[in-house]
Amino acid sequence: DMVKTMELSPDTGWLGPDSSLCLRASCYVRQADSINVSADYNTKKETGYVGLKNHGATCYMNGLLQSLFHVGEFRRIVYAIESEEAPECGKKEDPVDVSKGDIDGDGSAPPLIQALQNVFYKLQTSDQAVNCRELMKSFGWDTMDAFTQHDAQELNRILCDRLEEQMKGTPMDGSIKRLFCGEMENYIECIDVDYKSRRNETFYDIQLNIKGERGQYHANIEESLRDFTSEETLEGDNLYEAEGHGKQRAKKGIRFLSFPPVLNLQLKRFHFDLEKMDMVKLNNRFEFYRELNLSPFAPNAGSYVLYAVVVHSGDVNSGHYYAHIKPHLNSGWFKFDDDSVTPCSEYAAVEDNYGGSDLQVVEYFARSPWELRQQTPQVRQRIHNAYMLVYIRQDVAAQVLAPPDPRVTNLRMVERCDREVRLAEQRRREKMEQPLRIKVKLLFERSLCKMTGFWDHTEVPHEQYLKMNRDQPVHELASEAEAFIKVSATNMALFVLSYRNNPRQVRFAFMNSTTTLRNHIPQFNQPHFDTSDPYLVVLCMVSRGYDLHALKWRPTKENHTADELGRWDDAHVTLLVVKYFCVRTRKIVTLGCYYAPNTEKLISMINDGWVMERLRGYVQKGEVAPLPAEEGDGHAWECWEEFSEHDIQQRNTKTAVNNEQLWSGDVVIWQLAGQADARETREGLSPNGGDNSEVPPTFAVNNVQDLAAYILNSIDVVATLHDARQPLCIDGMVSNGVWAPPRPTSATKDKKDGQAVEERPEDAALSLCRTNHRPPQVRELKMDLRWNLSHVKGAVCRAFGHKRADVQENLWLFHAAPSSTYEEPLNMHPARNESTTLKELQRSTTFLSNPAKQPMTLHALELPSDSAQEVGDRGLLPLCVRYYDDAVREVGSQVIYVPHSGLVSDVLAGARKYNRPEYGITGPLRVLEVVESRLHKLFAPDAMVRSMVCFSKSNIFYHCLRVESDADAESMPDGHKLIEIFHCDRQSQQAFAQPLLLTAGPGEKSGSIKARCKAKLQVPDAEFKSWRLVRCTRLGKTHLKDDEAWDAEVTVDARLCLEHVHPNPTNNLARQSRYNKPLTIKA
């Protein structure tokens, strides 16, 4: 703005005492040396270094890798490790499948060490930013991992651990430890007696507090180190139990014994705030030095020089990592920000990352001098600050930072990396050429003969792999095939796998030699075509007379000349894919391809001996049963067309091919007529199960149609037998008194097909319960979807060794664990009876998107043996009561029986009858019902049983009653009342677990109620410190402070809840969310 001359006076502040002109200005650098580079900026040319690409949220990994790469000794260690080459990394430069990688040449994942070598070698030799996808694949990461922000220090620790594991037993074993590992001593020394306890520990990094445990902020790195090594006096209630001396006063602390050549310091910027009950980032000013003298902290420690500063910019939930690195002692500083590398000043690398705050720019012209003098300077937090510091011992810095020569260190690795660079360039070129070229998978009749079973176009094998221009004519493809098999193109015809709209089939179709390959490329939405990996599947059919396997001219008849298939007329000649079904072995084999005029009868291929000739080899190998010899050539044959996997249609063998609506590419299956399934005769059972309806029937397979039905209806079933006393488990939560996330007892529960099966967290939670229940038993069964309920129950009973009829009568079936699902028993549904089939049960499965392709899961539960008599003969109502002790832990359960018109007092009487001393439940009992983890109703003894929610529910093990001691209600003082306190998940805000009932007096402080909840539930201090007491009303939630009365705002709908993290959500999205997913390297 312009200032008028009349305003230039001492009063306005523009003129000084000697009439001098005063100018006021304010400026500062918001972020030192931030450079916005243009698109043509060449990092290699300008700085000599290249960056790393960000693949989503991998900036933390990029900053760490750069800080490790420029430690020349670490790079030398990585280069020197000998690793076996992955199969796809062999010396032969085979044709590259572009679909396996992107434009940068990412193939399948190599070993971790090899992937890290590749990244480091490219950082040293490449002119462009380096791709890290290969390294991430070697970590075992998926796309979600790439978009999940993690901690750089955590990745550093895990990466070094994995490298050390893979270097064991090699010449480089222990190299990383010698470079990064220091040693410290944890000690406790008694003051009044001569007793000392010492334990040495190694460390790879030191975590320094920004904010001390007493709430004070540290100003610099020396203060934080002194705090780290400060002594604590154990006295008063915290006396130390010294062996042989009893409780004694003692001093406890940490001493450094040695520091490593490369020292990693993590500044604990992320801190759990007990007032906010959440993680926060500390942006306070914290100074660190270019040179750090560590002699006061360890003997002969010496001086360290600052080498790298890894910076975090942002807050606790989102942010960005980058690194300032000084690659050589005499070089300047550089900023490595993903793929950008720029030079920066020492101030930008050090002082600018202390944290703290910056002055805000102020409009001085709008304020008078007096206002400016009175105004407090406006500041804003500096959200970019140092997070990791890397120091190198001064006396070895030159040696540690010296870059190695990869050819001297490991020439074999250099040759491999150079070879992979060439392959990557080849992939890049092929990626660019992909729109102009097409891959061709060439197969022959002998290839089809390897196929068994029904037709599956995805299983068609190929022998030759070609790449051709999309606009090349088909006859040039025939010339390529001619050169490969040495058969004249005039004696062959080409057929391409194509899609038919009506009917919807994938079959071979003739390729006219005058068309181009582009004419045969399928549409993008067709089932046999993948747009990410486009290719054609072409069958090369040669004339009869050529040997099927050798493709040499060996005619079986004299004076036979080769057919000129090059003049193929699809309007008059038909090519059929021919198979044979053996009833005795239940096997379908492919005989090959048969071509004939479409006016010829189907039986012709039998009459001219072609089928018998092709069948001979399979009989000799024992793959199919020999044909009955006594009938000679007079076999009766049946022919079936494989219209689809589910539709097998019989064809008239004495009718012409075109009259049977058969076209080139159709699949026909021959079989001998009149053969019976020997397996049915052997078992002697009828499809209806015979006299014993509990025994599952066997369905005869006498023809191809029967086989298709058998395969279609065969299903793998995983059956799990549960104990009726198994605890209630809703949303993975079991009332076992453990509030921390359950840890599986072992990494694997058992093995299936040689593969380890991971134990679920809910299994670990169930194992910690106090109930005396049998663990679930699992069996894998083969069933038929045509079986009815009685067959299914009988098969399940036999699988678990139960043969008594009463067990099957009392067996309930579910799609999920009975005590974990609200669904009613499958065999108790009013719309189902004993004739209901397994197919109908499968349709009711809501957990499978494609039931036909996945095993079916059945959960079984055996009711008490007296259940049928009590329910059927006496007409009583079964109820499941679950006993809970004072800590709201389930300690047992029992099925009781009460009259339909009974009272809650009847329930209490039945519950008392089965209450055991080991349950620890004494005094009067009360009955309550919990629905969706909230108290539904606390029942009075005179209430009707009909008023309960569980009255109309069949699954009594989920819709159950809770029985517990009512002693606190009887001794409740006047004015106090029994209140419900439920558990609420902090993330989803959904109720979970069993609520607790607590007596509370008027005006009682929230801190007192929290303390009583902690004592009642027996929650450890470390776990309970993050729990919050919350008042819930219709208007929202209020977090109660410890000195606030719980009933300060009394409303009709007010409820209390304990808000904390759900320890074991069964929702897969919750378990694998980007915020909950742990950082792992699976290599």
Side-chain angles (χ1 to χ4, degrees), residues 52-62 131-133 136 141-150 319-320 338 1074:
L52 293 164
K53 293 183 179 180
N54 192 323
H55 299 289
T58 57
C59 56
Y60 69 99
M61 180 181 70
N62 292 346
N131 192 322
C132 292
R133 280 202 183 95
M136 292 159 57
W141 291 1
D142 55 19
T143 305
M144 179 178 285
D145 290 293
F147 283 89
T148 304
Q149 181 76 271
H150 284 298
H320 180 61
D338 289 336
R1074 59 182 300 179

Side-chain angles (χ1 to χ4, degrees), residues 244-258:
H245 298 279
K247 291 186 178 295
Q248 296 289 333
R249 292 191 306 147
K251 292 181 179 180
K252 176 184 178 184
I254 294 174
R255 295 190 190 102
F256 288 111
L257 301 179
S258 64

Side-chain angles (χ1 to χ4, degrees), residues 143 456 508 945 963 1058 1078:
T143 305
D456 184 354
F508 283 107
V945 173
V963 173
L1058 288 167

Side-chain angles (χ1 to χ4, degrees), residues 563-579:
D563 299 324
E564 295 185 8
L565 299 187
R567 303 172 59 185
W568 185 280
D569 183 1
D570 208 43
H572 298 91
V573 184
T574 302
L575 177 84
L576 299 176
V577 178
V578 183
K579 300 181 180 183

Side-chain angles (χ1 to χ4, degrees), residues 117-133:
Q117 287 176 340
N118 293 348
V119 171
F120 278 11
Y121 184 73
K122 289 175 184 176
L123 281 174
Q124 187 164 350
T125 60
S126 177
D127 293 329
Q128 298 178 344
V130 176
N131 192 322
C132 292
R133 280 202 183 95

Side-chain angles (χ1 to χ4, degrees), residues 592-849:
C593 299
Y594 185 86
Y595 61 88
N598 53 24
T599 55
E600 191 172 284
K601 296 180 180 180
L602 277 173
I603 198 68
S604 299
M605 67 179 84
I606 301 289
N607 295 337
D608 65 9
W610 182 87
V611 170
M612 300 299 295
E613 177 190 346
R614 291 294 177 89
L615 201 54
R616 189 177 299 114
Y618 292 103
V619 174
Q620 291 172 353
K621 295 177 185 177
E623 295 184 37
V624 299
L627 273 64
E630 65 275 5
E631 297 184 17
D633 295 330
H635 297 129
W637 291 87
E638 292 179 356
C639 183
W640 302 80
E641 182 191 354
E642 192 177 332
F643 204 70
S644 71
E645 182 183 357
H646 313 301
D647 187 7
I648 308 297
Q649 301 178 3
Q650 190 169 7
R651 295 293 175 229
N652 190 335
T653 60
K654 298 181 180 179
T655 307
V657 171
N658 57 358
N659 291 337
E660 285 298 312
Q661 299 296 307
L662 293 173
W663 316 105
S664 287
D666 281 340
V667 182
V668 296
I669 305 177
W670 289 94
Q671 74 164 88
L672 290 176
Q675 284 195 325
D677 186 2
R679 304 186 188 193
E680 187 219 359
T681 305
R682 184 169 60 252
E683 295 182 11
L685 296 171
S686 68
N688 295 324
D691 296 332
N692 188 357
S693 60
E694 297 175 10
V695 179
T698 56
F699 296 91
V701 178
N702 295 323
N703 54 46
V704 181
Q705 197 173 51
D706 292 341
L707 178 67
Y710 172 79
I711 295 175
L712 180 64
N713 289 287
S714 294
I715 187 171
D716 293 325
V717 176
V718 179
T720 306
L721 182 65
H722 297 270
D723 189 354
R725 295 167 296 178
Q726 183 168 312
L728 189 66
C729 178
I730 301 176
D731 189 26
M733 194 67 205
V734 181
S735 298
N736 56 10
V738 178
W739 296 98
R743 302 296 180 192
T745 55
S746 61
T748 58
K749 189 176 181 181
D750 51 18
K751 289 192 174 181
K752 176 182 175 181
D753 299 331
Q755 298 293 323
V757 179
E758 185 178 354
E759 186 178 5
R760 301 176 305 164
E762 46 265 38
D763 295 333
L766 285 170
S767 67
L768 298 174
C769 284
R770 295 170 174 262
T771 55
N772 184 23
H773 69 282
R774 294 190 309 271
Q777 305 173 55
V778 181
R779 299 286 188 276
E780 294 183 0
L781 309 175
K782 291 281 188 182
M783 292 191 182
D784 194 295
L785 292 173
R786 294 169 288 186
W787 289 1
N788 58 38
L789 267 175
S790 62
H791 302 145
V792 173
K793 291 195 296 182
V796 171
C797 284
R798 283 189 296 276
F800 290 102
H802 299 301
K803 299 181 179 179
R804 303 193 323 270
D806 62 319
V807 174
Q808 180 179 341
E809 183 69 24
N810 294 330
L811 194 73
W812 281 2
L813 298 177
F814 299 83
H815 281 311
S819 57
S820 303
T821 178
Y822 59 87
E823 290 190 353
E824 303 302 313
L826 298 174
N827 49 333
M828 297 296 290
H829 196 280
R832 300 190 183 106
N833 52 39
E834 288 301 314
S835 63
T836 300
T837 64
L838 188 59
K839 179 73 173 178
E840 294 173 283
L841 295 185
Q842 185 195 36
R843 291 196 189 105
S844 67
T845 306
T846 58
F847 312 109
L848 300 180
S849 57

Side-chain angles (χ1 to χ4, degrees), residues 81 102 322 467 512 569 579 600 606-607 644 845 857 868 882 936 1007 1017 1039 1050:
I81 303 170
D102 62 3
Y322 53 91
K467 280 200 171 182
N512 195 310
D569 183 1
K579 300 181 180 183
E600 191 172 284
I606 301 289
N607 295 337
S644 71
T845 306
T857 301
R882 299 187 180 274
H936 174 68
L1017 299 177
H1039 295 107
V1050 179

